[in-house]
Amino acid sequence: MPTMLLSLVSVIVTLWVSWAHGQGRTCDFPEIKHGSIYEEHRYKQAFPVAPGKYFYYSCDRSFASPSQSLWTRITCTEDGWSPTPRCLRQCFFPWVKHGRSASSGQTHQEGDTVPVVCDEGYSLPLHQSSITCGERGWSMPPMCSRTGSRRKCGRPPTINNGDITTFPSANYAPGDSVQYRCQAYYKLQGNRILTCRDGEWSEPPKCLEACVTSEEMMEKHNIQLRWRQNKKLYIESDDTVEFTCRRGYRAVSPRSAFRVTCRAGKLTYPTCE
């Protein structure tokens, strides 16, 4: 076979192989830690998908995408998902007891480091000069303690609808900690672990009341649960539930009202007639 013809055949084969290899590239379902694809229960069975296909994802409470958008678009490319779907922790920075910081009252994103200046005679634990926002929250409480002081703490503070997991002692040494838990159907908000620092306990958590929807309330509004068959459903605070009209009824409330969020133990029901 002439050299020129052999070279031409080699080029064609190389191009065909490259094309065939590119045709096989797909994107698997994106498992997003602390987040989820929009209505993933509908689309999950369609994976893997071809390049060019796009989806939207949102993050769980206290997390956000790098773009800070409520819904972030990701597109399947030959190199994978673009941008890479991520949900980063959001850390609210309160005021600093016995100190100050320019970040007081602001919310920071996972990976941010915040300088803290303590008052004279006070310091952060381990004499650190800053705290960092991590996946589980701040690396340490933003609290300055008196340098060299080793005062003990009394009994841990009580919280409504919750308690510590161990039998309380009369006093605790500096550095001792206790863990809180909420009663059934209550949602814990804040840090579940409290630490004794210079005679004072760190900020205790709260137990947020759950919402309950029953068959009687849904019949009153001519609605039913959209995705579940339960006649009675407990919903944690800040979680959402979707309703739809019962057969033969039409919506009176706006469409947005059928996706309801539990707020302090209360639900606002949509109505159909």
Side-chain angles (χ1 to χ4, degrees), residues 251-268:
V252 175
S253 302
R255 183 177 180 182
S256 59
F258 284 81
R259 183 177 175 87
V260 184
T261 301
C262 174
R263 302 292 188 193
K266 296 181 180 181
L267 287 173
T268 302

PDB file of all heavy atoms in Angstrom, residues 251-268:
ATOM      1  N   ALA A 251     -58.127  24.991  42.938  1.00  0.00           N
ATOM      2  CA  ALA A 251     -57.379  25.843  43.859  1.00  0.00           C
ATOM      3  C   ALA A 251     -57.989  27.232  43.969  1.00  0.00           C
ATOM      4  O   ALA A 251     -58.379  27.836  42.970  1.00  0.00           O
ATOM      5  CB  ALA A 251     -55.930  25.946  43.399  1.00  0.00           C
ATOM      6  N   VAL A 252     -58.088  27.713  45.203  1.00  0.00           N
ATOM      7  CA  VAL A 252     -58.479  29.093  45.473  1.00  0.00           C
ATOM      8  C   VAL A 252     -57.239  29.901  45.832  1.00  0.00           C
ATOM      9  O   VAL A 252     -57.069  31.043  45.399  1.00  0.00           O
ATOM     10  CB  VAL A 252     -59.506  29.152  46.627  1.00  0.00           C
ATOM     11  CG1 VAL A 252     -59.815  30.600  46.993  1.00  0.00           C
ATOM     12  CG2 VAL A 252     -60.774  28.420  46.238  1.00  0.00           C
ATOM     13  N   SER A 253     -56.349  29.287  46.597  1.00  0.00           N
ATOM     14  CA  SER A 253     -55.094  29.936  46.969  1.00  0.00           C
ATOM     15  C   SER A 253     -54.135  29.953  45.778  1.00  0.00           C
ATOM     16  O   SER A 253     -54.240  29.108  44.881  1.00  0.00           O
ATOM     17  CB  SER A 253     -54.447  29.187  48.134  1.00  0.00           C
ATOM     18  OG  SER A 253     -55.312  29.128  49.245  1.00  0.00           O
ATOM     19  N   PRO A 254     -53.182  30.899  45.736  1.00  0.00           N
ATOM     20  CA  PRO A 254     -52.191  30.919  44.653  1.00  0.00           C
ATOM     21  C   PRO A 254     -51.333  29.660  44.661  1.00  0.00           C
ATOM     22  O   PRO A 254     -51.210  28.984  45.690  1.00  0.00           O
ATOM     23  CB  PRO A 254     -51.356  32.172  44.949  1.00  0.00           C
ATOM     24  CG  PRO A 254     -51.586  32.452  46.392  1.00  0.00           C
ATOM     25  CD  PRO A 254     -52.972  31.993  46.696  1.00  0.00           C
ATOM     26  N   ARG A 255     -50.735  29.361  43.527  1.00  0.00           N
ATOM     27  CA  ARG A 255     -49.954  28.140  43.372  1.00  0.00           C
ATOM     28  C   ARG A 255     -48.822  28.039  44.394  1.00  0.00           C
ATOM     29  O   ARG A 255     -48.537  26.970  44.946  1.00  0.00           O
ATOM     30  CB  ARG A 255     -49.379  28.085  41.954  1.00  0.00           C
ATOM     31  CG  ARG A 255     -48.602  26.820  41.649  1.00  0.00           C
ATOM     32  CD  ARG A 255     -48.142  26.825  40.204  1.00  0.00           C
ATOM     33  NE  ARG A 255     -47.387  25.612  39.893  1.00  0.00           N
ATOM     34  CZ  ARG A 255     -46.837  25.375  38.699  1.00  0.00           C
ATOM     35  NH1 ARG A 255     -46.981  26.263  37.715  1.00  0.00           N
ATOM     36  NH2 ARG A 255     -46.170  24.266  38.496  1.00  0.00           N
ATOM     37  N   SER A 256     -48.177  29.165  44.697  1.00  0.00           N
ATOM     38  CA  SER A 256     -47.059  29.166  45.637  1.00  0.00           C
ATOM     39  C   SER A 256     -47.485  28.767  47.049  1.00  0.00           C
ATOM     40  O   SER A 256     -46.677  28.307  47.845  1.00  0.00           O
ATOM     41  CB  SER A 256     -46.400  30.549  45.673  1.00  0.00           C
ATOM     42  OG  SER A 256     -47.342  31.536  46.062  1.00  0.00           O
ATOM     43  N   ALA A 257     -48.777  28.934  47.374  1.00  0.00           N
ATOM     44  CA  ALA A 257     -49.255  28.640  48.717  1.00  0.00           C
ATOM     45  C   ALA A 257     -49.350  27.150  48.996  1.00  0.00           C
ATOM     46  O   ALA A 257     -49.547  26.739  50.141  1.00  0.00           O
ATOM     47  CB  ALA A 257     -50.631  29.283  48.928  1.00  0.00           C
ATOM     48  N   PHE A 258     -49.221  26.311  47.958  1.00  0.00           N
ATOM     49  CA  PHE A 258     -49.341  24.870  48.144  1.00  0.00           C
ATOM     50  C   PHE A 258     -48.022  24.231  48.574  1.00  0.00           C
ATOM     51  O   PHE A 258     -47.974  23.042  48.845  1.00  0.00           O
ATOM     52  CB  PHE A 258     -49.871  24.219  46.861  1.00  0.00           C
ATOM     53  CG  PHE A 258     -51.345  24.435  46.664  1.00  0.00           C
ATOM     54  CD1 PHE A 258     -51.824  25.627  46.132  1.00  0.00           C
ATOM     55  CD2 PHE A 258     -52.266  23.469  47.023  1.00  0.00           C
ATOM     56  CE1 PHE A 258     -53.187  25.839  45.960  1.00  0.00           C
ATOM     57  CE2 PHE A 258     -53.619  23.665  46.867  1.00  0.00           C
ATOM     58  CZ  PHE A 258     -54.096  24.865  46.324  1.00  0.00           C
ATOM     59  N   ARG A 259     -46.944  24.999  48.616  1.00  0.00           N
ATOM     60  CA  ARG A 259     -45.673  24.544  49.184  1.00  0.00           C
ATOM     61  C   ARG A 259     -45.475  25.310  50.485  1.00  0.00           C
ATOM     62  O   ARG A 259     -45.177  26.510  50.476  1.00  0.00           O
ATOM     63  CB  ARG A 259     -44.514  24.804  48.210  1.00  0.00           C
ATOM     64  CG  ARG A 259     -43.166  24.276  48.715  1.00  0.00           C
ATOM     65  CD  ARG A 259     -42.093  24.516  47.671  1.00  0.00           C
ATOM     66  NE  ARG A 259     -40.776  24.129  48.150  1.00  0.00           N
ATOM     67  CZ  ARG A 259     -40.267  22.914  48.068  1.00  0.00           C
ATOM     68  NH1 ARG A 259     -40.985  21.947  47.520  1.00  0.00           N
ATOM     69  NH2 ARG A 259     -39.070  22.632  48.515  1.00  0.00           N
ATOM     70  N   VAL A 260     -45.671  24.640  51.609  1.00  0.00           N
ATOM     71  CA  VAL A 260     -45.784  25.297  52.906  1.00  0.00           C
ATOM     72  C   VAL A 260     -44.591  24.940  53.795  1.00  0.00           C
ATOM     73  O   VAL A 260     -44.168  23.780  53.833  1.00  0.00           O
ATOM     74  CB  VAL A 260     -47.095  24.884  53.608  1.00  0.00           C
ATOM     75  CG1 VAL A 260     -47.261  25.651  54.922  1.00  0.00           C
ATOM     76  CG2 VAL A 260     -48.282  25.138  52.689  1.00  0.00           C
ATOM     77  N   THR A 261     -44.071  25.935  54.506  1.00  0.00           N
ATOM     78  CA  THR A 261     -42.954  25.741  55.432  1.00  0.00           C
ATOM     79  C   THR A 261     -43.450  25.812  56.867  1.00  0.00           C
ATOM     80  O   THR A 261     -44.250  26.680  57.218  1.00  0.00           O
ATOM     81  CB  THR A 261     -41.875  26.817  55.212  1.00  0.00           C
ATOM     82  OG1 THR A 261     -41.407  26.737  53.853  1.00  0.00           O
ATOM     83  CG2 THR A 261     -40.685  26.589  56.154  1.00  0.00           C
ATOM     84  N   CYS A 262     -42.980  24.877  57.685  1.00  0.00           N
ATOM     85  CA  CYS A 262     -43.336  24.860  59.114  1.00  0.00           C
ATOM     86  C   CYS A 262     -42.598  25.992  59.822  1.00  0.00           C
ATOM     87  O   CYS A 262     -41.374  26.057  59.790  1.00  0.00           O
ATOM     88  CB  CYS A 262     -42.957  23.505  59.716  1.00  0.00           C
ATOM     89  SG  CYS A 262     -43.195  23.407  61.515  1.00  0.00           S
ATOM     90  N   ARG A 263     -43.355  26.884  60.476  1.00  0.00           N
ATOM     91  CA  ARG A 263     -42.776  28.006  61.201  1.00  0.00           C
ATOM     92  C   ARG A 263     -43.261  27.976  62.651  1.00  0.00           C
ATOM     93  O   ARG A 263     -44.449  28.170  62.914  1.00  0.00           O
ATOM     94  CB  ARG A 263     -43.176  29.339  60.555  1.00  0.00           C
ATOM     95  CG  ARG A 263     -42.787  29.495  59.095  1.00  0.00           C
ATOM     96  CD  ARG A 263     -41.293  29.592  58.916  1.00  0.00           C
ATOM     97  NE  ARG A 263     -40.951  29.929  57.521  1.00  0.00           N
ATOM     98  CZ  ARG A 263     -39.732  29.840  57.026  1.00  0.00           C
ATOM     99  NH1 ARG A 263     -38.733  29.426  57.803  1.00  0.00           N
ATOM    100  NH2 ARG A 263     -39.483  30.159  55.769  1.00  0.00           N
ATOM    101  N   ALA A 264     -42.338  27.696  63.566  1.00  0.00           N
ATOM    102  CA  ALA A 264     -42.654  27.715  64.997  1.00  0.00           C
ATOM    103  C   ALA A 264     -43.888  26.886  65.319  1.00  0.00           C
ATOM    104  O   ALA A 264     -44.758  27.309  66.079  1.00  0.00           O
ATOM    105  CB  ALA A 264     -42.848  29.160  65.468  1.00  0.00           C
ATOM    106  N   GLY A 265     -43.989  25.709  64.722  1.00  0.00           N
ATOM    107  CA  GLY A 265     -45.099  24.802  65.013  1.00  0.00           C
ATOM    108  C   GLY A 265     -46.397  25.114  64.295  1.00  0.00           C
ATOM    109  O   GLY A 265     -47.425  24.502  64.590  1.00  0.00           O
ATOM    110  N   LYS A 266     -46.373  26.025  63.332  1.00  0.00           N
ATOM    111  CA  LYS A 266     -47.609  26.412  62.644  1.00  0.00           C
ATOM    112  C   LYS A 266     -47.459  26.272  61.127  1.00  0.00           C
ATOM    113  O   LYS A 266     -46.417  26.567  60.565  1.00  0.00           O
ATOM    114  CB  LYS A 266     -47.993  27.843  62.995  1.00  0.00           C
ATOM    115  CG  LYS A 266     -48.336  28.039  64.467  1.00  0.00           C
ATOM    116  CD  LYS A 266     -48.728  29.467  64.748  1.00  0.00           C
ATOM    117  CE  LYS A 266     -49.068  29.668  66.226  1.00  0.00           C
ATOM    118  NZ  LYS A 266     -49.474  31.058  66.529  1.00  0.00           N
ATOM    119  N   LEU A 267     -48.554  25.820  60.498  1.00  0.00           N
ATOM    120  CA  LEU A 267     -48.626  25.722  59.038  1.00  0.00           C
ATOM    121  C   LEU A 267     -49.739  26.634  58.534  1.00  0.00           C
ATOM    122  O   LEU A 267     -50.788  26.754  59.178  1.00  0.00           O
ATOM    123  CB  LEU A 267     -48.945  24.289  58.590  1.00  0.00           C
ATOM    124  CG  LEU A 267     -47.847  23.237  58.720  1.00  0.00           C
ATOM    125  CD1 LEU A 267     -48.419  21.859  58.391  1.00  0.00           C
ATOM    126  CD2 LEU A 267     -46.685  23.543  57.780  1.00  0.00           C
ATOM    127  N   THR A 268     -49.530  27.257  57.384  1.00  0.00           N
ATOM    128  CA  THR A 268     -50.572  28.048  56.739  1.00  0.00           C
ATOM    129  C   THR A 268     -51.114  27.219  55.574  1.00  0.00           C
ATOM    130  O   THR A 268     -50.409  27.013  54.571  1.00  0.00           O
ATOM    131  CB  THR A 268     -50.014  29.387  56.236  1.00  0.00           C
ATOM    132  OG1 THR A 268     -49.452  30.116  57.334  1.00  0.00           O
ATOM    133  CG2 THR A 268     -51.131  30.209  55.589  1.00  0.00           C
TER     134      THR A 268
END
